[in-house]
Amino acid sequence: MARLTHLDRTGAARMVDVGEKPVTHRTARAAVEVRMKPATLSLIRRGAAKKGDVLSVARIAGISAAKRTADLIPLCHPIATTRIEVDFAFAGKGRLDIGSRVEAHDRTGVEMEALAAAAVAALTVYDMCKAVDRGMEIDKLRLLEKTGGRSGRYVRDGMNGRKRKPGRS
């Protein structure tokens, strides 16, 4: 039976010791969907939101979140990321797909950084558009793929190792 690595033998929270693990190339991709009124998506697409260029600001917010994940999630190790990308795809009449990709050469993975990037980018879209659409929904935050480390490669079911546009799983 698998055990939770962030708990010691007594059940107390602990930071995992990664000091003896080898440094390997680590990657992770994550995605999230933001559902909104079609008119809100049109505002974003046209760059007409009152607060400015929603996608540019959301991209910067996502990148910043990935860089600061250890500050946001208490038991995450600080990681010197080497690459962070946040991308957007207009999907249907009222859905914006957000995808992130993070890379590092480190002793621990970058899954949380990829998830943080996607989540904060989505929250930024909400913040910048809430004046016109408070009913937006942030949905399906998920890890799509990760590589590197002892556990090797993980690919979400249905991905078949193919690179897809943000949010496609």
Side-chain angles (χ1 to χ4, degrees), residues 2-132:
R3 68 176 189 71
L4 298 175
T5 58
H6 286 82
L7 299 177
D8 68 15
R9 286 187 289 276
T10 68
R14 70 176 179 104
M15 193 163 184
V16 175
D17 181 0
V18 298
E20 298 300 318
K21 292 172 78 175
V23 171
T24 62
H25 182 231
R26 315 286 185 130
T27 69
R29 291 187 313 116
V32 66
E33 299 174 6
V34 184
R35 297 182 185 280
M36 62 194 75
K37 295 176 185 173
T40 306
L41 192 62
S42 178
L43 274 176
I44 294 170
R45 187 188 298 260
R46 294 190 329 265
K50 285 188 178 183
K51 288 189 175 182
D53 183 345
V54 173
L55 300 184
S56 291
V57 175
R59 177 175 285 117
I60 292 168
I63 291 168
S64 295
K67 291 168 57 175
R68 301 202 47 141
T69 300
D71 294 331
L72 300 170
I73 301 172
L75 300 178
C76 281
H77 290 84
I79 293 179
T81 55
T82 57
R83 179 179 180 180
I84 303 169
E85 296 177 352
V86 177
D87 295 305
F88 305 92
F90 296 98
K93 289 186 176 184
R95 191 177 95 205
L96 177 67
D97 287 356
I98 302 173
S100 66
R101 178 181 174 87
V102 178
E103 294 187 29
H105 294 272
D106 215 313
R107 290 178 161 83
T108 189
V110 290
E111 297 96 298
M112 296 309 299
E113 287 74 10
L115 288 161
V120 171
L123 289 168
T124 302
V125 169
Y126 185 94
D127 179 55
M128 292 188 72
C129 297
K130 68 182 184 266
V132 296

Side-chain angles (χ1 to χ4, degrees), residues 129-141:
C129 297
K130 68 182 184 266
V132 296
D133 189 355
R134 292 203 188 272
M136 286 179 286
E137 295 180 3
I138 297 170
D139 194 23
K140 296 185 182 176
L141 177 64

